[in-house]
Amino acid sequence: MQDIDELKENFLSSINHTLIQPVQQSMAHIDQLLQSKLNKEQTLVVQTLHETLGAIHKNSQNLTAIADIKARSFDIAIKPFSPIETFEKIIESFIPKAEAASVHLIAYIDPNAPKEIFGDAKRLTQVMENLIQNGIDFTHLGGSVYVDVKIKHITDTRVSLNVSVTDTGVGIDKNKIKTYLQPFSQSSKERLGVGLSASFYILKSMGTQLKIASELNKGSRFSFALDLKSSLEAQYTSHPDIKIGIYIDDRSVFSYAKLLYQYIISMGLAVVSIKDTMDPNIAECQGLFFVTNSCDAQGFEDLKTRHPKTTLIPTVLHARQEAFEKDECAKKLLVLPALPSTINACLAYVEESIPEEITQSHVKDHQAIKQIAKQAKREKVKILIVEDNPINLKLVKVILSRYDFEVDAAENGQIGVDCCKKKHYDMVLMDIDMPVMDGITATQKIKAYEKEEGIPETPIIALTSHDLAGERTEIMESGLDEHMPKPLNVTRLELMLENYLGYKPQRSK
């Protein structure tokens, strides 16, 4: 009987925390609104009332979700939706809230995600909103909330997404983590309400699990993985023939610029870090993202004057957007946090802005590259890509398509070994984590076969997401000749071609 009474008490206490208190706050604001005159104060009251009612609505949704799941009347609606568009809308809705809380909201949404996946976008949005809101609420001034959405694995019909929300907030006592997932416990009531509990149960209904890693006064990480049906079609077309520079003039925006660099590499472009505004590498770039939190319009004009053939993209925080939009120099502006659709639009603008003489130079450059390749060998350079991820495979093929190479593909290590026994390749780009046979085993089998048959050894380059120093050493010691991290960097690839094949492409300037 005591347990039932305790459960009732916790339930009523939780209801008071998540619904009744916000209602009381709303009534107080309504009273103030009725008594106030039409002035700035009224506008502020209306805004606060709107936010409070939003909290009531969200908490009601969370409580309903938990009740429905407990009653086994909870359904997951499987419908097609765009993962990039869905996650972008979620991030955009939280930008003003993060700014108001003086918290840096940073996001990486894998631009190579399929155009369409099948799942419950509404419930997924509810989970993400709960996690991001908690991150903002419990992160100190000047702290950060980082949303990360990456593709772990993809086939012709399915995709695995790894999603995480990491904050630098107050953290959670490790001994209390489990209690936070109980909707009416004292622990959940005192800090996170029912949002985290609802997210846990929603994800459980989707066939996955919410994982929590946290440390007091250092922050928390909430993550989950989704395996969903998908289409193979990518959201964006590639821009393989342009080189992009990134210049940072303020350390306060470094984390944003770092992710921008990752985005551009993931989109298959050559990218270079610019040291200063006098860096000669700027002249080689068709586009330059000038990431700043301090530069004025005159600074952009000066840089534009020095490099008229490089399209300048001012890249500024959302809070400074209006100031730059009014200036004539910012015909195209990238607002931070940068998202795939806005970056893609900027890259398309850069591509369209390339002067005609430069475009013609590209054509001549491609012709020169083909001629060099033919002179270097009587036959075309033969490259084998061993990669089980169709999107990664497509990206590598797009990059290699600018050269006159003969490119074959294998979807796992065993097929890669079989290909090397049938044909001699000048280079093999080998993924490490694959089904049937991993890249390390495949490499060892290829090397053993070549030694046994007296065939010249083929350079095998590891193409992998394992990019930590220890992992790189382990990969190299396993028999691979070199290591290239994913996403593929064009400049680094060309260095490999030069080192192992004596092939040096002449890039346009």
Side-chain angles (χ1 to χ4, degrees):
M1 190 69 180
Q2 184 178 358
D3 291 341
I4 295 176
D5 291 338
E6 185 178 350
L7 179 62
K8 287 180 179 178
E9 183 180 347
N10 284 339
F11 175 80
L12 293 174
S13 179
S14 182
I15 289 292
N16 179 68
H17 179 75
T18 57
L19 290 181
I20 297 176
Q21 285 183 7
V23 169
Q24 291 174 341
Q25 293 171 4
S26 298
M27 294 303 296
H29 292 311
I30 290 171
D31 290 339
Q32 187 178 356
L33 179 62
L34 293 174
Q35 295 172 15
S36 63
K37 296 180 181 180
L38 294 175
N39 52 28
K40 292 182 180 180
E41 179 188 0
Q42 187 180 38
T43 302
L44 181 61
V45 171
V46 170
Q47 182 180 354
T48 306
L49 176 61
H50 182 272
E51 293 174 355
T52 308
L53 291 173
I56 295 173
H57 181 263
K58 182 171 290 185
N59 286 327
S60 299
Q61 280 185 318
N62 288 328
L63 282 171
T64 301
I66 293 173
D68 287 345
I69 292 170
K70 291 292 188 181
R72 297 185 179 180
S73 61
F74 186 88
D75 293 323
I76 297 296
I78 306 299
K79 297 179 181 179
F81 69 94
S82 167
I84 291 179
E85 290 179 4
T86 299
F87 283 109
E88 282 191 341
K89 286 179 181 178
I90 295 170
I91 298 301
E92 288 169 350
S93 69
F94 278 98
I95 292 175
K97 297 177 183 179
E99 284 182 353
S102 297
V103 171
H104 298 287
L105 178 60
I106 310 169
Y108 179 81
I109 303 170
D110 199 323
N112 295 309
K115 186 174 184 179
E116 192 174 75
I117 62 176
F118 294 79
D120 195 327
K122 181 179 178 181
R123 293 300 183 186
L124 179 58
T125 298
Q126 185 177 351
V127 169
M128 293 302 296
E129 287 178 345
N130 287 332
L131 298 181
I132 297 172
Q133 186 64 62
N134 280 336
I136 293 173
D137 288 343
F138 299 101
T139 296
H140 304 296
L141 297 179
S144 64
V145 174
Y146 172 43
V147 180
D148 186 57
V149 182
K150 286 181 180 173
I151 297 175
K152 182 178 176 68
H153 184 71
I154 191 167
T155 67
D156 291 348
T157 58
R158 301 196 71 82
V159 64
S160 295
L161 295 178
N162 277 9
V163 183
S164 65
V165 178
T166 306
D167 65 64
T168 59
V170 296
I172 305 172
D173 187 333
K174 293 180 180 179
N175 297 321
K176 292 184 177 181
I177 286 179
K178 288 185 178 179
T179 63
Y180 282 119
L181 301 178
Q182 300 171 14
F184 307 121
S185 69
Q186 184 68 25
S187 296
S188 67
K189 177 190 66 179
E190 71 186 16
R191 181 176 184 266
L192 300 177
V194 294
L196 191 58
S197 303
S199 299
F200 173 80
Y201 286 115
I202 290 171
L203 290 172
K204 190 175 181 181
S205 297
M206 290 180 172
T208 188
Q209 182 179 1
L210 179 64
K211 297 180 180 179
I212 305 175
S214 186
E215 189 170 347
L216 280 176
N217 302 317
K218 289 190 177 181
S220 305
R221 183 177 186 268
F222 302 88
S223 62
F224 58 91
L226 286 175
D227 183 75
L228 302 170
K229 181 182 175 183
S230 73
S231 65
L232 185 57
E233 184 182 1
Q235 182 75 42
Y236 307 116
T237 56
S238 58
H239 309 275
D241 291 320
I242 56 178
K243 178 180 276 188
I244 298 298
I246 297 179
Y247 173 63
I248 313 167
D249 82 333
D250 194 311
R251 294 292 299 178
S252 66
V253 289
F254 177 78
S255 55
Y256 294 96
K258 183 179 179 181
L259 279 180
L260 176 59
Y261 192 98
Q262 184 177 346
Y263 269 119
I264 295 173
I265 291 178
S266 296
M267 291 176 170
L269 303 182
V271 59
V272 58
S273 295
I274 303 300
K275 297 178 181 178
D276 53 55
T277 55
M278 302 301 291
D279 193 326
N281 287 316
I282 296 176
E284 298 184 8
C285 300
Q286 284 76 51
L288 175 64
F289 287 93
F290 196 117
V291 189
T292 182
N293 192 32
S294 58
C295 185
D296 56 16
Q298 187 58 48
F300 287 109
E301 285 293 348
D302 293 343
L303 186 59
K304 197 173 180 181
T305 301
R306 286 198 297 272
H307 300 282
K309 293 182 180 180
T310 299
T311 302
L312 180 65
I313 307 290
T315 305
V316 299
L317 290 170
H318 181 268
R320 301 199 66 196
Q321 179 179 356
E322 289 186 10
F324 282 91
E325 282 180 338
K326 295 176 182 178
D327 196 272
E328 184 63 25
C329 77
K331 292 182 180 179
K332 195 69 176 179
L333 186 70
L334 182 62
V335 179
L336 301 172
L339 298 173
S341 61
T342 54
I343 296 172
N344 187 67
C346 288
L347 294 175
Y349 175 72
V350 170
E351 199 169 23
E352 293 168 2
S353 303
I354 297 173
E356 186 176 351
E357 63 269 23
I358 300 296
T359 304
Q360 292 173 351
S361 174
H362 270 274
V363 173
K364 293 178 181 178
D365 187 48
H366 278 285
Q367 292 173 346
I369 289 173
K370 291 181 180 180
Q371 188 62 33
I372 291 171
K374 289 178 180 178
Q375 290 174 356
K377 285 181 176 285
R378 292 183 178 180
E379 297 181 355
K380 290 183 179 180
V381 172
K382 297 181 181 66
I383 294 181
L384 174 65
I385 309 168
V386 187
E387 169 66 70
D388 69 314
N389 186 318
I391 287 182
N392 286 341
L393 177 60
K394 182 179 179 181
L395 177 61
V396 178
K397 280 186 172 181
V398 166
I399 293 173
L400 292 176
S401 67
R402 69 184 69 182
Y403 314 116
D404 193 29
F405 293 158
E406 182 179 317
V407 180
D408 292 335
E411 62 186 27
N412 62 56
Q414 181 59 63
I415 297 176
V417 173
D418 294 340
C419 288
C420 289
K421 289 182 178 180
K422 294 176 183 178
K423 182 192 295 187
H424 179 71
Y425 292 94
D426 299 289
M427 178 178 286
V428 176
L429 300 179
M430 180 73 72
D431 186 22
I432 297 300
D433 297 319
M434 292 181 291
V436 183
M437 183 184 290
D438 63 81
I440 291 176
T441 303
T443 297
Q444 291 170 345
K445 287 183 175 294
I446 292 170
K447 298 285 189 183
Y449 171 77
E450 290 175 337
K451 184 177 181 179
E452 182 180 339
E453 296 294 321
I455 300 172
E457 195 171 280
T458 303
I460 303 179
I461 314 299
L463 186 59
T464 175
S465 57
H466 297 276
D467 195 29
L468 298 178
E471 294 172 321
R472 182 183 187 281
T473 301
E474 182 180 351
I475 288 171
M476 297 290 289
E477 290 177 350
S478 299
L480 288 109
D481 297 283
E482 193 46 87
H483 170 274
M484 280 200 297
K486 294 180 183 178
L488 186 63
N489 182 301
V490 178
T491 304
R492 194 164 178 177
L493 171 63
E494 292 182 346
L495 181 61
M496 298 293 178
L497 294 173
E498 182 179 356
N499 289 343
Y500 288 96
L501 304 181
Y503 178 78
K504 186 174 182 180
Q506 300 297 314
R507 307 301 299 156
S508 61
K509 295 185 178 182

